[in-house]
């Protein structure tokens, strides 16, 4: 049977796991998707007012108190590297996030609509601060801890953020650029120690009261901004509203993660990426699931495998790179007693990896496809036949089509642009805009469609197949890397006269960053191997380390158009053996 949980503005449907196995034909989480199902689409009637903290998290708190959700399965289960653990029920999460809301509004002086950049690793405070922002109406901007001073400066200036919250590892980088940041008013340190010019979050938190009434936010108000890489400029600011992420990510929890209040979901994504919102924030909590997190700063295969064996994790969400790393180990020495569902996103998966994972664990890997701008677009859900290589079927409320340059819908098997219909009604879960860039926002639309920038085709069964990206974005280990940022970093080194950055195939990471470099005259006689290492270390220091070129080739000239633009496509085709 099905349990219907009615919240004030919309409803969630979940089914106990035992019933799910017995009655999969009738299970919302397992049955094939039908985007025309009126009962399904009824979930997506967007209310005028919506606040995720009040309308979702606080409702699960009430259900815990009423005994309709067991508090024995935490809302957040965090594990540190030294055996320390944090387990919070929804009630505890509510109390602690209200204290955090008071820190942000009273101690930090932030008000509704102000912007705050949070750069923290996977620590419990990250979840408290993000929920606290939602309660107060503060627009939060997550960023990866791999950023360097120049990256932080660009984000502070572009966003006009009034506050930044980070740890003692990144505080020096912030201090090195703060004199040029005229919008920044407050710096907050999450640390047991103190630093001149910084407020201490832990001290403020301990003194903060636990009572706080969430602001009444309209569904279309901005809630979160992500910086996403571009190919011809610096990262763009993708803005999402309270409903686009707060309700729109319901599709992830229901159709892809297949979660319920008894699920324990481990999403292995950096807190600075939208995929963290998919698998470790909104989506699980929309379904009342437990968010599991490990405090490791870098992915360690043995730590991941030991955690899957030790803890009752039911759902694993990672990039194809993660699965490629794990299958290289002897999985027969590990027993995943609770793991029953595995999903993958961030880049196309390799059918061979999927087959090996299945043979070693008995579990399928279910693909998901979406963008920072879109939330989930397509997926292979449980109960739906997996076609290795396909990114799945469209999920509601999206109408996904393959179109040509004139917006004509193409027949099955014919390659074109992967596009989402936005007229006559724009899907509410699509991003609001690129902040401060109306031209780029408008450029995403063509006729009645939003253009994803990806190429693909649809088969006779309605599955979407990813062919490639229409732009130059590099997807390496799930990270989206814009070539312009790497080229800009390289050009700061005196050895580089010109550079072009493209993707290059890699058996582990799927693809990696490769730099084609024309040397300055004074460096043409240098040892190529030593110079390569020097340039790689230089990029790591100037920008986020994951962006550095793992491959470097020195060339005499770069292919260019008549107007002088570098033809990255020609270099990329050469790398991938297409010419």
């Amino acid at each position: 049977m099905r349990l219907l949980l009615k919240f004030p503005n919309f409803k969630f449907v979940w089914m106990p796991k035992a019933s799910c196995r017995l009655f999969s034909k009738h299970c919302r989480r397992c049955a094939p998707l039908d985007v025309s199902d009126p009962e399904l689409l009824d979930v997506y009637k967007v209310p005028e007012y919506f606040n995720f903290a009040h309308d979702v998290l606080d409702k699960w708190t009430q259900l815990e108190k009423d005994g309709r959700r067991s508090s024995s399965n935490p809302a957040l289960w965090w594990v540190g590297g030294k055996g320390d653990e944090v387990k919070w029920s929804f009630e505890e999460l509510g109390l602690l996030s209200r204290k955090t809301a008071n820190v942000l509004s009273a101690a930090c002086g932030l008000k509704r609509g102000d912007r705050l950049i949070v750069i923290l690793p996977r620590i419990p405070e990250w979840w408290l601060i993000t929920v606290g922002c939602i309660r107060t109406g503060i627009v939060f901007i997550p960023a990866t801890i791999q950023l360097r001073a120049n990256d932080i400066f660009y984000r502070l200036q572009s966003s006009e953020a009034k506050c930044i919250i980070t740890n003692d590892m990144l505080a020096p980088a912030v201090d090195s650029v703060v004199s040029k940041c005229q919008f920044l008013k407050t710096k907050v340190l999450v640390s047991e120690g103190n630093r001149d010019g910084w407020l201490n979050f832990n001290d403020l938190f301990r003194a903060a009261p636990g009572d706080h009434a969430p602001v009444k936010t309209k569904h279309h108000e901005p809630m979160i901004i992500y910086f996403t890489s571009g190919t011809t400029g610096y990262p763009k600011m993708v803005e999402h509203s309270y409903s686009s992420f707060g309700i729109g990510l319901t599709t992830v929890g229901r159709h892809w993660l297949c979660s319920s209040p008894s699920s324990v979901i481990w999403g292995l994504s950096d807190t600075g990426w939208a995929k963290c919102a998919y698998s470790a924030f909104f989506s699980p909590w929309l379904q009342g699931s437990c968010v599991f997190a490990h405090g490791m700063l870098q992915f360690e295969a043995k730590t991941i495998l030991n955690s899957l064996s030790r803890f009752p994790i039911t759902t694993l969400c990672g990039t194809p790179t993660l699965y490629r790393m794990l299958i290289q180990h002897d999985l027969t020495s590990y027993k995943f007693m609770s793991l029953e569902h595995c999903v993958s996103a961030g880049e196309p998966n390799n059918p061979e990896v999927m087959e090996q994972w299945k043979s070693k664990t008995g579990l399928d890997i279910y693909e998901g496809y979406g963008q920072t701008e879109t939330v989930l677009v397509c997926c292979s859900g449980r109960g739906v036949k997996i076609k290795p290589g396909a990114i799945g079927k469209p999920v509601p409320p999206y109408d996904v089509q393959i179109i040509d340059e004139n917006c004509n819908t193409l027949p099955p098997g014919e390659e074109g642009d992967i596009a989402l219909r936005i007229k006559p009604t724009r899907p509410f879960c699509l991003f609001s805009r690129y902040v401060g860039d109306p031209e780029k926002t408008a450029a995403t639309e063509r006729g009645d469609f939003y253009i994803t920038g990806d190429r693909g085709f649809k088969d006779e069964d309605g599955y979407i197949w990813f062919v490639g990206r229409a732009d130059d974005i590099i997807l390496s280990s799930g990270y989206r890397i814009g070539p312009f940022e790497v080229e800009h970093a390289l050009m700061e080194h005196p050895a580089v006269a010109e550079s072009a950055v493209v993707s290059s195939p890699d058996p582990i990471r799927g693809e990696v960053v490769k730099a084609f470099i024309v040397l300055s005259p004074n460096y043409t006689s240098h040892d190529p191997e030593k110079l390569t290492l020097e340039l790689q270390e230089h990029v790591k220091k100037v920008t986020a380390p994951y962006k550095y070129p793992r491959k470097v080739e020195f060339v005499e000239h770069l292919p260019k158009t008549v107007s002088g633009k570098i033809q990255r496509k020609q270099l990329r085709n050469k790398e991938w053996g297409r010419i």
Side-chain angles (χ1 to χ4, degrees), residues 419-431:
L420 315 177
R421 192 178 299 278
I422 58 175
K423 295 178 182 177
T425 303
R426 182 182 176 89
F428 73 92
C429 46
L430 196 58
F431 79 120

mmCIF file of all heavy atoms in Angstrom, residues 419-431:
data_model
loop_
_atom_site.group_PDB
_atom_site.id
_atom_site.type_symbol
_atom_site.label_atom_id
_atom_site.label_comp_id
_atom_site.label_asym_id
_atom_site.label_seq_id
_atom_site.Cartn_x
_atom_site.Cartn_y
_atom_site.Cartn_z
ATOM 1 N N ALA A 419 16.911 19.289 -26.278
ATOM 2 C CA ALA A 419 16.206 20.521 -25.945
ATOM 3 C C ALA A 419 14.996 20.243 -25.057
ATOM 4 O O ALA A 419 14.406 19.155 -25.117
ATOM 5 C CB ALA A 419 15.762 21.234 -27.225
ATOM 6 N N LEU A 420 14.622 21.225 -24.259
ATOM 7 C CA LEU A 420 13.484 21.125 -23.347
ATOM 8 C C LEU A 420 12.424 22.139 -23.772
ATOM 9 O O LEU A 420 12.730 23.322 -23.943
ATOM 10 C CB LEU A 420 13.924 21.409 -21.907
ATOM 11 C CG LEU A 420 15.206 20.731 -21.427
ATOM 12 C CD1 LEU A 420 15.527 21.168 -20.010
ATOM 13 C CD2 LEU A 420 15.086 19.225 -21.511
ATOM 14 N N ARG A 421 11.196 21.680 -23.918
ATOM 15 C CA ARG A 421 10.127 22.586 -24.337
ATOM 16 C C ARG A 421 9.795 23.555 -23.191
ATOM 17 O O ARG A 421 9.549 23.135 -22.064
ATOM 18 C CB ARG A 421 8.885 21.793 -24.734
ATOM 19 C CG ARG A 421 7.839 22.646 -25.465
ATOM 20 C CD ARG A 421 6.645 21.808 -25.878
ATOM 21 N NE ARG A 421 6.998 20.733 -26.802
ATOM 22 C CZ ARG A 421 7.151 20.908 -28.119
ATOM 23 N NH1 ARG A 421 6.974 22.116 -28.644
ATOM 24 N NH2 ARG A 421 7.461 19.886 -28.889
ATOM 25 N N ILE A 422 9.775 24.844 -23.508
ATOM 26 C CA ILE A 422 9.510 25.865 -22.496
ATOM 27 C C ILE A 422 8.295 26.728 -22.830
ATOM 28 O O ILE A 422 7.942 27.631 -22.067
ATOM 29 C CB ILE A 422 10.736 26.780 -22.295
ATOM 30 C CG1 ILE A 422 11.140 27.446 -23.612
ATOM 31 C CG2 ILE A 422 11.891 26.008 -21.690
ATOM 32 C CD1 ILE A 422 12.262 28.462 -23.471
ATOM 33 N N LYS A 423 7.654 26.455 -23.958
ATOM 34 C CA LYS A 423 6.451 27.196 -24.351
ATOM 35 C C LYS A 423 5.360 26.204 -24.741
ATOM 36 O O LYS A 423 5.655 25.156 -25.316
ATOM 37 C CB LYS A 423 6.754 28.146 -25.522
ATOM 38 C CG LYS A 423 7.726 29.264 -25.159
ATOM 39 C CD LYS A 423 8.024 30.148 -26.357
ATOM 40 C CE LYS A 423 9.047 31.234 -25.980
ATOM 41 N NZ LYS A 423 9.402 32.072 -27.152
ATOM 42 N N PRO A 424 4.118 26.483 -24.358
ATOM 43 C CA PRO A 424 3.598 27.743 -23.806
ATOM 44 C C PRO A 424 3.887 27.967 -22.325
ATOM 45 O O PRO A 424 3.720 29.067 -21.826
ATOM 46 C CB PRO A 424 2.094 27.627 -24.038
ATOM 47 C CG PRO A 424 1.826 26.166 -23.975
ATOM 48 C CD PRO A 424 3.023 25.513 -24.609
ATOM 49 N N THR A 425 4.315 26.918 -21.610
ATOM 50 C CA THR A 425 4.565 27.066 -20.172
ATOM 51 C C THR A 425 6.014 26.696 -19.861
ATOM 52 O O THR A 425 6.454 25.585 -20.184
ATOM 53 C CB THR A 425 3.622 26.158 -19.350
ATOM 54 O OG1 THR A 425 2.269 26.468 -19.672
ATOM 55 C CG2 THR A 425 3.851 26.376 -17.862
ATOM 56 N N ARG A 426 6.734 27.599 -19.227
ATOM 57 C CA ARG A 426 8.121 27.335 -18.852
ATOM 58 C C ARG A 426 8.141 26.447 -17.606
ATOM 59 O O ARG A 426 7.512 26.778 -16.590
ATOM 60 C CB ARG A 426 8.849 28.651 -18.562
ATOM 61 C CG ARG A 426 10.330 28.482 -18.197
ATOM 62 C CD ARG A 426 10.951 29.840 -17.867
ATOM 63 N NE ARG A 426 12.333 29.721 -17.432
ATOM 64 C CZ ARG A 426 13.395 29.745 -18.227
ATOM 65 N NH1 ARG A 426 13.215 29.901 -19.528
ATOM 66 N NH2 ARG A 426 14.625 29.636 -17.746
ATOM 67 N N PRO A 427 8.825 25.307 -17.646
ATOM 68 C CA PRO A 427 8.900 24.442 -16.457
ATOM 69 C C PRO A 427 9.456 25.202 -15.261
ATOM 70 O O PRO A 427 10.472 25.887 -15.358
ATOM 71 C CB PRO A 427 9.853 23.315 -16.896
ATOM 72 C CG PRO A 427 9.747 23.292 -18.387
ATOM 73 C CD PRO A 427 9.554 24.726 -18.792
ATOM 74 N N PHE A 428 8.785 25.083 -14.141
ATOM 75 C CA PHE A 428 9.160 25.874 -12.959
ATOM 76 C C PHE A 428 10.520 25.490 -12.416
ATOM 77 O O PHE A 428 11.162 26.276 -11.708
ATOM 78 C CB PHE A 428 8.110 25.690 -11.858
ATOM 79 C CG PHE A 428 8.162 24.354 -11.182
ATOM 80 C CD1 PHE A 428 8.909 24.178 -10.041
ATOM 81 C CD2 PHE A 428 7.484 23.259 -11.699
ATOM 82 C CE1 PHE A 428 8.973 22.944 -9.406
ATOM 83 C CE2 PHE A 428 7.543 22.030 -11.081
ATOM 84 C CZ PHE A 428 8.285 21.867 -9.935
ATOM 85 N N CYS A 429 10.989 24.259 -12.704
ATOM 86 C CA CYS A 429 12.258 23.806 -12.140
ATOM 87 C C CYS A 429 13.468 24.219 -12.976
ATOM 88 O O CYS A 429 14.609 23.934 -12.592
ATOM 89 C CB CYS A 429 12.239 22.292 -11.945
ATOM 90 S SG CYS A 429 11.609 21.374 -13.351
ATOM 91 N N LEU A 430 13.244 24.894 -14.091
ATOM 92 C CA LEU A 430 14.337 25.436 -14.879
ATOM 93 C C LEU A 430 14.887 26.682 -14.171
ATOM 94 O O LEU A 430 14.157 27.415 -13.508
ATOM 95 C CB LEU A 430 13.832 25.793 -16.274
ATOM 96 C CG LEU A 430 14.872 26.018 -17.383
ATOM 97 C CD1 LEU A 430 15.734 24.782 -17.571
ATOM 98 C CD2 LEU A 430 14.164 26.381 -18.687
ATOM 99 N N PHE A 431 16.179 26.923 -14.320
ATOM 100 C CA PHE A 431 16.807 28.053 -13.627
ATOM 101 C C PHE A 431 16.138 29.371 -13.993
ATOM 102 O O PHE A 431 15.522 29.514 -15.061
ATOM 103 C CB PHE A 431 18.297 28.094 -13.928
ATOM 104 C CG PHE A 431 18.678 28.680 -15.278
ATOM 105 C CD1 PHE A 431 19.496 29.795 -15.348
ATOM 106 C CD2 PHE A 431 18.239 28.108 -16.469
ATOM 107 C CE1 PHE A 431 19.858 30.339 -16.573
ATOM 108 C CE2 PHE A 431 18.604 28.629 -17.703
ATOM 109 C CZ PHE A 431 19.413 29.756 -17.758
#
